[in-house]
Amino acid sequence: MRLLVAAALAAFIATNAQAAELTVLAPGFVANAGIKDLAVSYEKETGIKVTVKSVGMGAMMDTIKTGTPAADIVMLPQNLMDDLAKDKGVVAGSRKPLGRVQIGLIVPAGAPHPDISTVAKLATALKGAKNVAYSSPFRDEKSMQAMIIHEILQKPEFAGVHADIIEKGNAVNGIKQGADMGLQLVCETRDPAVSLVGNLPESLHAWIDGDVAVSSRAADAKAAQAFVAYILKPAATPVWKANGLDRP
C-alpha cells in the first residue's frame, strides 16, 4: 500500500513539474508582437513559467520536427502550420487562428509622412526616396516578410525604386544608417528613431497571418492548451493590438 501511495505521489509531482514550465516557439512576427508580455502576465497569475524562443523562419520547421529546442506551443504562418498539421506535428483540435501582422512604411522620426493610400501613391513615394531599406530575403533565416517585400518591389509599378537590402538587422537599422524610408513588419517598428507612416495598401497583401497550436511533443498538452486559451481570450486582445498584431 505504501508503495502504491509513493508511486501515486511521484506521478503527481512529475505531472506538476512538467506543467510548471512551458516553452513557446515563435517566429519574429509573433515574438515581437505581444507574446512575451502575455507570457510574463501568465506566469504572475499562475506561477507557471513561460519561455518564448524565437528562431528564423527557415529553421522553424526543422526545429519543431526534431524537438530541439523542445516546444510545448508553436506559432507559425498559416501555410507552415498547414504543413506541420499534415505531419501530425500538432495536437488535433488545438490549432487556433492567432492574428495578422501588417507590413508598413517607416521614415526617420520627424520626417514628413507621404500619402501611401494607394499602390500608385506608394510607388511615387518610394521612387522619390534616395533609398528604401528592407531585410535581406536571401539570408539563411528565409524571412517571410523580406520575401513578401522583395516580391512587391519586383512588380512593374515599383520599377525604379532604389532598394537598400539590409544584410544585418532590418529596415529600422537601415533608417539609422541613413535610408530615407523602410519597409518593415509593424510589430518591429517600435523604435524612437523611426516613425510609422502606415500599413501598405491592402491590395498588395503585405501581411503575415499566423496560427497557434499545441505541439505533439508537448510535455503537458493540457497545460499548453490552458496557455493558448489565455493568450486568445478577449482580455489579451489589447496587448496584441498595442504590439502590432490584429486578432481575427
Side-chain angles (χ1 to χ4, degrees):
M1 183 65 179
R2 288 180 181 176
L3 289 175
L4 288 174
V5 172
L9 181 59
F12 176 79
I13 293 172
T15 298
N16 280 275
Q18 288 176 341
E21 184 168 357
L22 294 169
T23 299
V24 178
L25 192 60
F29 83 97
V30 180
N32 297 311
I35 184 60
K36 293 176 183 177
D37 293 339
L38 290 168
V40 170
S41 62
Y42 189 74
E43 182 175 351
K44 287 180 179 177
E45 290 183 28
T46 67
I48 297 174
K49 180 175 175 56
V50 181
T51 301
V52 178
K53 295 182 178 180
S54 183
V55 296
M57 200 75 76
M60 283 290 290
M61 297 301 281
D62 288 340
T63 297
I64 294 168
K65 288 177 182 177
T66 61
T68 307
D72 300 290
I73 298 110
V74 292
M75 296 173 167
L76 286 169
Q78 290 180 343
N79 62 320
L80 293 184
M81 191 68 86
D82 288 342
D83 294 338
L84 187 61
K86 286 176 187 174
D87 291 340
K88 303 188 184 305
V90 300
V91 173
S94 69
R95 180 179 179 179
K96 306 292 181 186
L98 183 59
R100 171 173 293 178
V101 179
Q102 300 271 357
I103 294 171
L105 177 70
I106 56 175
V107 295
H113 283 202
D115 184 353
I116 60 169
S117 57
T118 67
V119 173
K121 289 177 179 179
L122 172 65
T124 298
L126 294 181
K127 289 176 186 178
K130 182 174 60 180
N131 48 6
V132 178
Y134 70 102
S135 299
S136 171
F138 310 115
R139 295 178 304 188
D140 292 340
E141 294 95 319
K142 302 300 179 192
S143 166
M144 181 171 286
Q145 71 153 322
M147 288 304 302
I148 292 171
I149 295 168
H150 187 72
E151 289 173 7
I152 287 173
L153 293 180
Q154 304 314 300
K155 293 178 181 289
E157 306 95 295
F158 298 98
V161 172
H162 300 288
D164 186 8
I165 297 176
I166 307 301
E167 291 295 339
K168 292 184 178 179
N170 56 25
V172 173
N173 298 97
I175 294 286
K176 291 177 179 179
Q177 292 164 15
D180 294 339
M181 297 182 182
L183 297 168
Q184 189 68 35
L185 284 170
V186 170
C187 67
E188 297 173 348
T189 63
R190 297 187 304 280
D191 189 296
V194 304
S195 177
L196 176 65
V197 176
N199 300 335
L200 301 192
E202 188 173 356
S203 61
L204 292 175
H205 300 282
W207 58 67
I208 300 177
D209 288 328
D211 283 355
V212 58
V214 175
S215 170
S216 58
R217 293 176 177 271
D220 187 334
K222 218 174 250 192
Q225 286 171 337
F227 178 71
V228 171
Y230 179 84
I231 65 172
L232 298 183
K233 65 182 183 178
T237 299
V239 178
W240 291 114
K241 182 71 175 175
N243 286 279
L245 182 143
D246 296 318
R247 290 278 299 126

